[in-house]
Amino acid sequence: MVRLKSPPTILDIEASGFGSASFPIEVGVKRNDGARFCRLIQPYSWWTHWDKEAEGLHGLSRDTLNQYGVQGSDVCRDLNLFLKQQTVYSDGWVVDYPWLIKLYAAAGVAMTFKLSALEYILSESQMQAWHEVKKQLMAQHSGARHRASVDAELIQQTYISTAATCEMSFTR
Protein backbone atom coordinates (compact mmCIF):
# COMPACT_ATOMS: atom_id res chain seq x y z
CA MET A 1 0.00 0.00 0.00
CA VAL A 2 1.21 3.49 -0.92
CA ARG A 3 0.78 6.36 1.58
CA LEU A 4 -0.31 9.63 -0.03
CA LYS A 5 0.23 13.11 1.42
CA SER A 6 -2.87 14.51 -0.30
CA PRO A 7 -6.10 12.92 -1.51
CA PRO A 8 -5.64 10.84 -4.65
CA THR A 9 -6.72 12.08 -8.05
CA ILE A 10 -9.78 10.03 -8.99
CA LEU A 11 -11.03 9.19 -12.49
CA ASP A 12 -14.43 7.72 -13.26
CA ILE A 13 -16.03 6.71 -16.55
CA GLU A 14 -19.65 6.25 -17.58
CA ALA A 15 -20.25 3.89 -20.47
CA SER A 16 -22.79 2.83 -23.06
CA GLY A 17 -23.28 -0.52 -21.38
CA PHE A 18 -21.71 -3.16 -19.20
CA GLY A 19 -20.04 -5.67 -21.53
CA SER A 20 -16.96 -5.77 -23.72
CA ALA A 21 -18.82 -4.14 -26.65
CA SER A 22 -19.60 -1.06 -24.54
CA PHE A 23 -17.66 2.18 -24.92
CA PRO A 24 -16.91 5.25 -22.78
CA ILE A 25 -19.41 8.10 -23.00
CA GLU A 26 -18.24 10.40 -20.20
CA VAL A 27 -15.04 10.86 -18.23
CA GLY A 28 -14.86 12.72 -14.93
CA VAL A 29 -11.88 13.53 -12.71
CA LYS A 30 -11.44 15.08 -9.30
CA ARG A 31 -7.77 16.02 -9.04
CA ASN A 32 -5.86 15.99 -5.74
CA ASP A 33 -5.79 19.82 -5.74
CA GLY A 34 -9.59 20.00 -6.06
CA ALA A 35 -9.72 20.83 -9.79
CA ARG A 36 -12.38 19.03 -11.81
CA PHE A 37 -12.61 17.69 -15.34
CA CYS A 38 -15.73 16.40 -17.05
CA ARG A 39 -16.37 15.68 -20.73
CA LEU A 40 -19.13 13.96 -22.63
CA ILE A 41 -17.65 11.86 -25.42
CA GLN A 42 -19.13 11.89 -28.91
CA PRO A 43 -19.32 8.23 -29.98
CA TYR A 44 -17.27 7.08 -32.95
CA SER A 45 -19.41 5.73 -35.79
CA TRP A 46 -18.28 2.14 -35.12
CA TRP A 47 -19.20 2.36 -31.44
CA THR A 48 -22.72 0.98 -31.78
CA HIS A 49 -23.47 -0.93 -28.57
CA TRP A 50 -26.13 0.81 -26.49
CA ASP A 51 -27.75 -0.53 -23.32
CA LYS A 52 -30.97 1.11 -22.14
CA GLU A 53 -30.30 -0.14 -18.58
CA ALA A 54 -26.99 1.76 -18.49
CA GLU A 55 -28.74 4.82 -19.93
CA GLY A 56 -31.23 4.55 -17.06
CA LEU A 57 -28.34 4.80 -14.58
CA HIS A 58 -26.44 7.73 -16.04
CA GLY A 59 -29.32 9.44 -17.84
CA LEU A 60 -27.35 10.17 -20.99
CA SER A 61 -28.88 9.31 -24.36
CA ARG A 62 -26.95 8.65 -27.53
CA ASP A 63 -28.62 11.74 -29.02
CA THR A 64 -27.31 13.87 -26.12
CA LEU A 65 -23.78 12.56 -26.76
CA ASN A 66 -24.02 13.23 -30.49
CA GLN A 67 -25.25 16.76 -29.83
CA TYR A 68 -23.09 17.80 -26.84
CA GLY A 69 -20.23 15.30 -26.81
CA VAL A 70 -16.65 16.26 -27.59
CA GLN A 71 -14.60 14.39 -30.19
CA GLY A 72 -12.58 11.60 -28.60
CA SER A 73 -9.22 12.98 -29.74
CA ASP A 74 -9.98 16.31 -28.05
CA VAL A 75 -11.08 14.56 -24.85
CA CYS A 76 -7.83 12.57 -24.79
CA ARG A 77 -5.61 15.60 -25.38
CA ASP A 78 -7.51 17.66 -22.77
CA LEU A 79 -7.30 14.82 -20.25
CA ASN A 80 -3.55 14.42 -20.85
CA LEU A 81 -3.03 18.14 -20.25
CA PHE A 82 -5.21 18.09 -17.13
CA LEU A 83 -3.49 15.05 -15.60
CA LYS A 84 0.06 15.53 -16.92
CA GLN A 85 2.13 12.45 -16.02
CA GLN A 86 0.59 11.66 -12.66
CA THR A 87 -0.90 8.41 -11.44
CA VAL A 88 -4.67 8.59 -11.06
CA TYR A 89 -6.94 6.07 -9.38
CA SER A 90 -10.20 4.31 -10.14
CA ASP A 91 -12.46 2.29 -7.88
CA GLY A 92 -13.60 0.37 -10.97
CA TRP A 93 -10.24 -0.16 -12.64
CA VAL A 94 -11.28 -3.49 -14.14
CA VAL A 95 -13.85 -1.70 -16.36
CA ASP A 96 -12.54 1.89 -16.44
CA TYR A 97 -9.11 0.93 -17.74
CA PRO A 98 -10.38 -1.00 -20.79
CA TRP A 99 -12.80 1.86 -21.60
CA LEU A 100 -9.94 4.36 -21.35
CA ILE A 101 -7.74 2.21 -23.61
CA LYS A 102 -10.64 1.94 -26.08
CA LEU A 103 -11.00 5.74 -26.14
CA TYR A 104 -7.29 6.48 -26.57
CA ALA A 105 -6.87 3.77 -29.24
CA ALA A 106 -9.83 5.06 -31.25
CA ALA A 107 -8.54 8.63 -30.95
CA GLY A 108 -4.98 7.66 -31.94
CA VAL A 109 -3.61 9.57 -28.95
CA ALA A 110 -1.02 8.28 -26.46
CA MET A 111 -2.08 8.34 -22.81
CA THR A 112 0.45 10.32 -20.74
CA PHE A 113 -0.85 9.43 -17.28
CA LYS A 114 -1.19 6.13 -15.45
CA LEU A 115 -4.49 4.72 -14.22
CA SER A 116 -4.18 2.46 -11.19
CA ALA A 117 -6.62 0.56 -9.01
CA LEU A 118 -7.68 2.49 -5.91
CA GLU A 119 -7.21 -0.66 -3.84
CA TYR A 120 -3.43 -0.23 -4.19
CA ILE A 121 -3.51 2.79 -1.89
CA LEU A 122 -6.21 1.71 0.59
CA SER A 123 -5.27 0.30 3.96
CA GLU A 124 -7.01 -2.84 5.17
CA SER A 125 -9.10 -0.78 7.61
CA GLN A 126 -10.10 1.64 4.83
CA MET A 127 -11.27 -1.29 2.72
CA GLN A 128 -13.33 -2.62 5.60
CA ALA A 129 -15.01 0.75 6.19
CA TRP A 130 -15.34 1.74 2.52
CA HIS A 131 -18.87 0.64 1.61
CA GLU A 132 -20.50 1.93 4.78
CA VAL A 133 -18.79 5.31 4.57
CA LYS A 134 -19.61 5.63 0.86
CA LYS A 135 -23.24 4.75 1.56
CA GLN A 136 -23.41 7.47 4.26
CA LEU A 137 -21.88 10.06 1.94
CA MET A 138 -24.31 9.10 -0.83
CA ALA A 139 -27.23 9.54 1.56
CA GLN A 140 -26.01 13.06 2.39
CA HIS A 141 -26.05 13.89 -1.30
CA SER A 142 -29.27 12.13 -2.27
CA GLY A 143 -30.57 13.48 -5.51
CA ALA A 144 -27.10 13.97 -6.95
CA ARG A 145 -26.87 12.65 -10.48
CA HIS A 146 -25.01 9.43 -11.27
CA ARG A 147 -22.36 10.90 -13.54
CA ALA A 148 -18.61 10.54 -13.90
CA SER A 149 -17.52 13.79 -12.21
CA VAL A 150 -19.99 13.38 -9.35
CA ASP A 151 -18.84 9.80 -8.84
CA ALA A 152 -15.16 10.85 -8.88
CA GLU A 153 -15.92 13.43 -6.17
CA LEU A 154 -17.79 10.82 -4.09
CA ILE A 155 -14.92 8.33 -4.38
CA GLN A 156 -12.38 10.96 -3.35
CA GLN A 157 -14.54 12.03 -0.38
CA THR A 158 -14.90 8.39 0.66
CA TYR A 159 -11.12 8.03 0.54
CA ILE A 160 -10.65 11.15 2.68
CA SER A 161 -13.31 10.06 5.20
CA THR A 162 -12.04 6.51 5.55
CA ALA A 163 -8.44 7.70 5.86
CA ALA A 164 -9.40 10.13 8.63
CA THR A 165 -11.53 7.55 10.48
CA CYS A 166 -8.92 4.80 10.20
CA GLU A 167 -6.07 7.08 11.34
CA MET A 168 -8.10 8.04 14.41
CA SER A 169 -8.70 4.41 15.25
CA PHE A 170 -4.91 3.75 15.11
CA THR A 171 -4.14 6.56 17.55
CA ARG A 172 -6.58 5.46 20.23
Side-chain angles (χ1 to χ4, degrees):
M1 180 193 68
V2 176
R3 278 282 196 216
L4 302 178
K5 293 178 182 168
S6 62
T9 295
I10 302 293
L11 180 142
D12 189 66
I13 295 177
E14 297 300 328
S16 67
F18 306 105
S20 61
S22 63
F23 56 88
I25 63 168
E26 182 183 41
V27 61
V29 177
K30 178 75 183 296
R31 215 165 49 191
N32 59 2
D33 64 2
R36 299 166 191 261
F37 177 98
C38 188
R39 296 288 188 283
L40 294 177
I41 303 164
Q42 192 175 74
Y44 287 94
S45 60
W46 61 91
W47 287 358
T48 58
H49 175 79
W50 195 260
D51 187 320
K52 285 291 188 184
E53 189 178 335
E55 182 179 331
L57 288 174
H58 51 63
L60 295 168
S61 69
R62 192 173 180 97
D63 288 341
T64 298
L65 297 173
N66 285 324
Q67 185 173 2
Y68 299 107
V70 177
Q71 289 186 357
S73 57
D74 292 335
V75 172
C76 292
R77 282 191 287 274
D78 291 348
L79 196 54
N80 281 346
L81 285 172
F82 186 75
L83 294 173
K84 301 188 176 30
Q85 280 96 33
Q86 68 177 300
T87 299
V88 301
Y89 297 91
S90 167
D91 74 337
W93 183 90
V94 71
V95 290
D96 286 347
Y97 187 67
W99 285 326
L100 204 56
I101 294 302
K102 189 175 276 192
L103 173 63
Y104 274 82
V109 175
M111 192 167 39
T112 61
F113 60 93
K114 179 183 174 189
L115 183 67
S116 189
L118 184 65
E119 291 80 5
Y120 290 151
I121 59 170
L122 295 175
S123 68
E124 188 68 32
S125 54
Q126 279 181 286
M127 285 187 222
Q128 291 171 354
W130 189 266
H131 293 292
E132 187 58 36
V133 170
K134 187 175 179 185
K135 191 167 93 176
Q136 291 169 4
L137 289 169
M138 286 173 66
Q140 292 172 10
H141 298 95
S142 63
R145 61 192 185 143
H146 176 71
R147 297 282 295 276
S149 60
V150 173
D151 290 353
E153 164 99 22
L154 174 64
I155 295 160
Q156 190 183 69
Q157 286 303 312
T158 305
Y159 178 89
I160 292 167
S161 295
T162 57
T165 302
C166 294
E167 280 182 28
M168 280 193 266
S169 66
F170 290 132
T171 60
R172 290 183 188 165

